[in-house]
């Protein structure tokens, strides 16, 4: 239907007669001459309709935004002074001698160039939202990302293999999405949260290098970087240790950023232990663009009279940490109160601080309600450890280690943004040496920090059943600008080790057999040492596109309540379908008066 794409026209084609197809991006009537900017997937070009082409001009008069058109005409250079430097085609235009209206468009519910468009409207009319240049660029970038990753993996002898979408429910952490079986009444499939067990079975099967760009599903509470269905770049290898896996994946990410963004990532990536990351940044996914760091001062506070500090300092599970803010002394009290309310969201009961008005004067140069509780030697120790200078502000967190890490870790990021401290660019690193287990106080038992198939470090094997708190895992996460974009581990390939880990997690032989019997059987038949990693494709694309939400790099995403506003999914189904599935619906419990909806 066309000879060229709109966005491809340039000066080399001047004089040629072309046929174009696309949407009417805009229409302008300038003193009897009609200009229509025609848009297709390649870009926009200006078309001109003169009154002497009576039939074409009459048709152009009826055109409105987003009409679908077929335009014929000759390419000419734009008159001097009318060029548009913002368009690839800005030096040429098409003088139309024919136009066909292929389809009309009603008035749109919003303008495609509307700046502050609400997300519910965007998601309800997603097919219109996707016409916008912003979304077109995002999805084309996503395409280039997947093509680059596939090419790299295939060049390194990985085989792409699909794994089942309908599988067995083995809930660990997030809830499974369940699918009722018509042919097996009362039984359910589950949609996979990841292909973890299947990719391990592919290693047992001898494929050695597997990958898959696959959909995964988790029925969990959502936020900006979560979706009920998401895409994972799933990778597994045999006969490589953690260094081998990380080296291979590092190079893949360097190639990806080089090809897609013309950005060079470091070689090699920095590596940081889990313990160091949490100690310095309060998080296992540190944003290294923010130069602020947490400093332990608990040992200085053990004997002070201030119980707010002394209590956590003498508690094995407590922490007292300081966060120095350069030039933070300029912050007004109202803003400090705002930060106090902010850390309260993370469980902190308050936010102590010291303003450094004149570092040379010692105690006399400081300003804070807590100074009267602190001896001179403690104050000197704080100033030395934090390297505080005149004009700085020192915030303190004192509570359980988790509360301090969560609250001060979040505060350092907020301060970095509010005070313009966050640096531009890309900061990437590996976080390694994770704990194998985490104690769940509610369940009163140990749980796997990653998943129960992660291998403990070889030197810690004997501690698994007697000292789980001090067992390290052969796990590794890759963190980019404060977001975990990938995580993996060396897996357990020996039956005796897997049974020992299950026992430490409180999973008995019967439960292990019921949930993971097929994997346990496979480990009996010569399972090779293996490990892998999974990357969050949506998150990588969001970071590379510079957007805040992964919904902006997914064609048809769900809302934060896991609903599709465009199709009205999820929806009720016909009673006949329910009967075929042997399902009877219960009425949801009625809300009591005053209960939040």
């Amino acid at each position: 239907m066309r000879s060229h794409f709109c966005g491809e026209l340039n000066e080399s084609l001047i004089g040629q007669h072309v046929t174009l197809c696309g949407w009417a991006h805009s229409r302008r009537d300038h003193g009897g001459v009609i200009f229509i900017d025609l848009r297709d997937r390649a870009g926009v070009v200006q078309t001109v309709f003169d009154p002497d082409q009576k039939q074409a001009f009459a048709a152009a008069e009826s055109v409105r935004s987003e009409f679908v058109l077929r335009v014929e005409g000759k390419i000419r250079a734009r008159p001097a002074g009318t060029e548009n430097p913002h368009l690839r085609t800005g030096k040429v235009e098409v003088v139309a001698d024919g136009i066909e209206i292929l389809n009309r468009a009603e008035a749109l519910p919003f303008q495609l160039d509307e700046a502050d468009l609400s997300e519910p409207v965007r998601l309800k009319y997603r097919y219109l939202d996707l016409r916008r240049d912003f979304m077109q660029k995002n999805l084309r970038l996503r395409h280039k990302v997947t093509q680059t990753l596939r090419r790299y993996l295939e060049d390194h002898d990985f085989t792409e293999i699909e794994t089942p979408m309908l599988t067995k429910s083995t809930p660990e952490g997030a809830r499974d999405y369940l699918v009722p079986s018509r042919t097996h009444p009362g039984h359910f499939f589950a949609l996979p949260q990841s292909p973890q067990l299947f990719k391990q079975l592919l290693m047992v099967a001898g494929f050695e290098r597997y990958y898959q760009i696959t959909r995964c599903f988790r029925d969990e509470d959502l936020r900006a970087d979560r979706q009920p269905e998401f895409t994972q770049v799933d990778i597994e290898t045999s006969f490589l240790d953690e260094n081998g896996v990380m080296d291979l994946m590092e190079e893949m990410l360097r190639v990806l950023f080089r090809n897609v963004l013309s950005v060079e990532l470091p070689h090699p990536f920095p590596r940081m232990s889990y313990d160091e990351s949490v100690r310095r940044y309060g998080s296992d996914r540190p944003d290294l663009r923010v130069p602020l760091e947490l400093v332990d001062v608990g040992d200085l506070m053990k004997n002070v009279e201030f119980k707010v500090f002394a209590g956590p300092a003498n508690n094995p599970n407590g922490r007292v940490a300081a966060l120095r803010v350069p030039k933070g002394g300029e912050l007004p009290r109202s803003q400090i109160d705002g930060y106090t309310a902010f850390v309260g969201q993370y469980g902190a009961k308050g936010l102590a601080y010291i303003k450094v008005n004149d570092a040379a004067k010692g105690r006399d140069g400081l300003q804070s309600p807590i100074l009267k509780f602190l001896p001179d030697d403690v104050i000197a120790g704080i100033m030395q450890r934090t390297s505080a200078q005149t004009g700085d502000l020192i915030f303190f967190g004192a509570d359980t280690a988790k509360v301090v890490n969560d609250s001060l870790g979040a505060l350092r990021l907020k301060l970095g943004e509010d005070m313009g401290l966050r640096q531009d660019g890309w900061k990437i690193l590996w976080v390694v040496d994770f704990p194998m287990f985490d104690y769940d106080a509610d369940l009163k038992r140990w749980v796997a920090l990653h998943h129960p198939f992660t291998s403990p470090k070889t030197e810690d094997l004997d501690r698994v059943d007697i000292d789980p708190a001090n067992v390290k895992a052969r796990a590794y996460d890759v963190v980019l600008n404060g977001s975990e974009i990938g995580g993996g581990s060396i897996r357990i390939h020996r039956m005796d080790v897997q049974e020992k880990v299950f026992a430490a997690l409180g999973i008995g032989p019967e439960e292990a057999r019921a949930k993971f019997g097929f994997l346990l059987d496979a480990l009996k038949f010569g399972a090779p040492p293996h490990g892998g990693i999974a990357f969050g494709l949506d998150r990588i694309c969001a970071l590379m596109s510079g957007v805040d939400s992964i919904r902006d790099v997914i064609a048809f995403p769900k809302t934060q309540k896991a609903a599709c506003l465009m199709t009205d999914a999820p929806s009720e189904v016909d009673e006949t379908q329910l009967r075929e599935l042997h399902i009877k619906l219960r009425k949801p419990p009625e809300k009591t008066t005053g209960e939040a909806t």
Side-chain angles (χ1 to χ4, degrees):
M1 294 182 68
R2 59 186 166 193
S3 63
H4 295 77
F5 288 100
C6 297
E8 294 176 348
L9 304 188
N10 56 47
E11 294 165 287
S12 69
L13 300 174
I14 288 175
Q16 289 193 25
H17 193 273
V18 296
T19 303
L20 309 173
C21 290
W23 286 263
H25 191 64
S26 64
R27 175 188 173 279
R28 306 177 302 281
D29 191 333
H30 289 181
V33 178
I34 295 174
F35 295 89
I36 296 176
D37 289 341
L38 195 65
R39 183 191 75 244
D40 63 13
R41 70 179 183 87
V44 177
V45 69
Q46 179 172 281
T47 61
V48 184
F49 294 82
D50 291 319
D52 56 354
Q53 295 286 342
K54 294 182 179 179
Q55 198 169 9
F57 186 83
E61 284 186 307
S62 68
V63 170
R64 297 294 179 267
S65 291
E66 298 306 303
F67 275 31
V68 186
L69 308 175
R70 185 169 183 259
V71 176
E72 297 182 50
K74 184 177 289 188
I75 302 174
R76 74 179 182 191
R78 285 201 188 190
T82 67
E83 300 92 341
N84 185 345
H86 302 295
L87 291 179
R88 288 170 53 196
T89 61
K91 292 185 177 181
V92 298
E93 60 189 11
V94 175
V95 181
D97 53 36
I99 182 173
E100 180 182 358
I101 298 176
L102 300 174
N103 208 348
R104 297 175 181 272
E106 295 183 4
L108 270 59
F110 57 86
Q111 296 302 309
L112 298 187
D113 59 356
E114 195 170 328
D116 298 319
L117 188 60
S118 73
E119 189 170 61
V121 172
R122 290 179 59 201
L123 295 182
K124 181 174 178 60
Y125 300 98
R126 188 62 162 185
Y127 42 84
L128 297 179
D129 186 44
L130 290 174
R131 290 184 186 177
R132 298 193 301 151
D133 186 57
F134 165 72
M135 290 301 301
Q136 294 263 323
K137 286 180 178 177
N138 289 352
L139 293 186
R140 288 202 181 93
L141 179 140
R142 183 183 178 114
H143 165 73
K144 192 170 182 180
V145 167
T146 58
Q147 293 300 100
T148 302
L149 294 175
R150 273 200 167 94
R151 194 173 300 117
Y152 177 88
L153 291 167
E154 288 168 6
D155 287 346
H156 288 78
D157 298 323
F158 283 82
T159 302
E160 184 173 13
I161 304 175
E162 294 178 347
T163 53
M165 285 288 114
L166 296 175
T167 183
K168 183 175 181 175
S169 177
T170 56
E172 291 289 333
R175 298 181 185 92
D176 286 330
Y177 275 101
L178 300 178
V179 181
S181 171
R182 181 182 60 81
T183 53
H184 299 276
H187 291 69
F188 294 81
F189 293 106
L191 300 180
Q193 295 190 30
S194 84
Q196 179 62 48
L197 299 184
F198 286 103
K199 66 180 179 181
Q200 289 191 243
L201 294 176
L202 288 169
M203 296 302 100
V204 179
F207 283 95
E208 296 196 21
R209 290 196 170 191
Y210 141 94
Y211 85 95
Q212 183 181 190
I213 299 178
T214 183
R215 302 292 276 173
C216 301
F217 308 85
R218 289 178 187 167
D219 186 8
E220 60 185 342
D221 295 333
L222 306 177
R223 57 178 186 259
D225 61 348
R226 294 273 177 90
Q227 280 281 289
E229 50 182 331
F230 56 96
T231 304
Q232 192 166 286
V233 183
D234 206 48
I235 297 167
E236 198 79 2
T237 68
S238 295
F239 307 114
L240 279 182
D241 62 12
E242 43 268 72
N243 289 325
V245 174
M246 286 190 281
D247 289 346
L248 197 60
M249 295 301 99
E250 264 191 37
E251 185 57 29
M252 183 181 78
L253 292 173
R254 277 191 289 270
V255 168
L256 174 65
F257 273 74
R258 184 182 304 128
N259 288 359
V260 177
L261 297 182
S262 299
V263 166
E264 289 295 331
L265 295 180
H267 184 24
F269 292 177
R271 296 188 184 186
M272 184 180 297
S273 72
Y274 170 91
D275 291 340
E276 180 184 357
S277 178
V278 171
R279 176 174 54 81
R280 294 172 61 187
Y281 303 105
S283 171
D284 60 1
R285 48 184 191 280
D287 188 343
L288 301 184
R289 296 173 301 169
V290 178
L292 307 179
E293 293 190 21
L294 280 61
V295 177
D296 280 314
V297 292
D299 59 312
L300 301 176
M301 304 296 183
K302 288 188 175 182
N303 298 315
V304 300
E305 296 180 5
F306 195 34
K307 292 183 178 179
V308 171
F309 284 175
N314 289 283
N315 183 342
N317 297 317
R319 186 181 187 190
V320 184
L323 179 65
R324 172 197 164 217
V325 185
K327 299 183 180 179
E330 301 170 1
L331 293 174
R333 179 59 187 266
S334 60
Q335 197 164 350
I336 293 174
D337 291 342
Y339 290 134
T340 302
F342 173 77
V343 297
Q345 301 173 38
Y346 299 88
K349 301 178 182 67
L351 186 63
Y353 68 91
I354 293 176
K355 279 189 175 184
V356 184
N357 296 326
D358 188 342
K361 292 183 178 180
R363 176 190 289 273
D364 294 336
L366 307 179
Q367 177 185 345
S368 172
I370 67 171
L371 287 174
K372 59 187 176 183
F373 301 109
L374 305 179
D376 288 346
D377 61 329
V378 171
I379 291 174
I382 292 170
M383 296 293 289
Q384 182 180 17
R385 284 195 194 176
T386 60
S387 301
Q389 306 294 318
T390 298
D392 291 349
L393 179 72
I394 306 170
F395 282 122
F396 295 89
D399 209 305
T400 65
K402 176 173 173 48
V403 168
V404 171
N405 294 335
D406 290 349
S407 58
L408 288 190
L411 180 63
R412 68 175 287 273
L413 297 180
K414 184 166 179 58
L415 287 164
E417 181 178 355
D418 292 351
M419 301 190 68
L421 300 173
R422 188 171 62 197
Q423 301 162 353
D424 293 330
W426 302 95
K427 293 290 187 177
I428 196 166
L429 77 156
W430 289 104
V431 178
V432 297
D433 297 335
F434 282 84
M436 180 79 180
F437 305 105
D438 187 29
Y439 190 76
D440 190 312
D442 294 330
L443 297 176
K444 293 183 172 52
R445 67 176 178 85
W446 293 98
V447 296
L449 191 67
H450 283 81
H451 56 65
F453 317 108
T454 297
S455 175
K457 285 186 173 289
T458 305
E459 60 269 27
D460 291 342
L461 276 175
D462 293 337
R463 296 183 185 176
V464 168
D465 47 1
I466 59 174
D467 186 19
N470 291 306
V471 176
K472 297 293 186 183
R474 299 178 69 181
Y476 35 84
D477 286 356
V478 59
V479 178
L480 177 65
N481 288 2
S483 290
E484 177 199 329
I485 61 171
S489 66
I490 300 302
R491 324 300 185 188
I492 297 169
H493 70 283
R494 283 170 37 194
M495 179 74 165
D496 60 325
V497 176
Q498 187 66 75
E499 289 176 335
K500 182 180 285 193
V501 169
F502 279 159
L505 296 170
I507 301 174
E510 290 185 7
E511 184 182 359
R513 172 57 52 183
K515 287 184 174 180
F516 313 112
F518 58 96
L519 175 67
L520 297 177
D521 287 342
L523 295 181
K524 298 176 184 177
F525 298 109
H530 60 281
I533 193 168
F535 292 96
L537 180 66
D538 309 301
R539 195 171 297 178
I540 290 174
C541 292
L543 287 167
M544 296 180 82
S545 299
V547 298
D548 294 327
S549 169
I550 63 172
R551 289 190 291 277
D552 283 336
V553 294
I554 298 173
F556 299 103
K558 304 293 189 293
T559 67
Q560 286 189 325
K561 292 185 177 180
C564 176
L565 301 182
M566 184 181 67
T567 63
D568 287 329
S571 62
E572 295 180 348
V573 297
D574 188 89
E575 178 65 27
T576 303
Q577 292 175 275
L578 293 176
R579 282 200 299 268
E580 286 181 340
L581 295 168
H582 307 279
I583 290 177
K584 185 176 182 179
L585 297 180
R586 294 180 178 179
K587 288 185 178 180
E590 294 184 3
K591 300 247 188 312
T592 59
T593 304
E595 185 177 346
T597 56

